[in-house]
Amino acid sequence: MAYSGWLLKIGNYIVPMSFMKAETYSPYVNMQDLDDYTDANGYLHRNAVELKALKVEFETRAMLTNKTFNEVLNNIRSQFTNATGKACYITAYIPEYDDYVTQYGYMADIQPTIYGTYGGIVRYNSIRFAFIGGVYGG
């Protein structure tokens, strides 16, 4: 399945591309090893495991209003399978595979910064979002 018109889905919610700042969507899968060692001759012996942990990062576009920011954030939160751990199913388009990868994982903490409050409307600077997959428990 190649690109299907969206980049990121949390549970059943497709994160709108209009929410993402251009040129900031960064998806990849991390190769993971188990019990690697270097032998007496200095050669590395790798033991790559099958699971490649998914990580997706992006920034929001600047100047989002509080209304827009909370609408998207609430839609993401509604997909959490464990609200305390921000656990969720993450489906992301991975350019390396030209395909989508789905893994159980979590949303990392976000740190919104307010650009200003003009006319009684809160506006935010760009906010970094990260979703990390490969977590056991799905």
Side-chain angles (χ1 to χ4, degrees), residues 5-6 17 20 27-28 31 35 42 45 51 70 72 77 83-86 88 103 107 117 119-120 123 125 135:
W6 52 273
M17 291 173 60
M20 299 179 194
Y28 55 96
M31 188 176 306
D35 298 331
H45 296 263
L51 177 68
N70 280 308
V72 174
R77 285 181 177 149
T84 303
K86 299 181 184 178
C88 54
Q103 288 184 358
M107 183 180 90
T117 58
R123 295 195 182 268
N125 287 318
V135 175

Side-chain angles (χ1 to χ4, degrees), residues 3 6-10 17 20-31 52-59 90-103 128-133:
Y3 175 72
W6 52 273
L7 296 173
L8 180 62
K9 185 164 62 169
I10 306 304
M17 291 173 60
M20 299 179 194
K21 180 179 173 183
E23 301 181 1
T24 64
Y25 180 78
S26 177
Y28 55 96
V29 287
N30 286 319
M31 188 176 306
K52 310 292 188 253
L54 169 69
K55 184 167 185 187
V56 179
E57 298 177 277
F58 68 88
E59 292 178 28
I90 306 157
T91 303
Y93 176 72
I94 305 296
E96 179 182 353
Y97 299 159
D98 188 26
D99 204 353
Y100 292 88
V101 170
T102 300
Q103 288 184 358
R128 182 187 153 274
F129 275 75
F131 294 88
I132 297 94

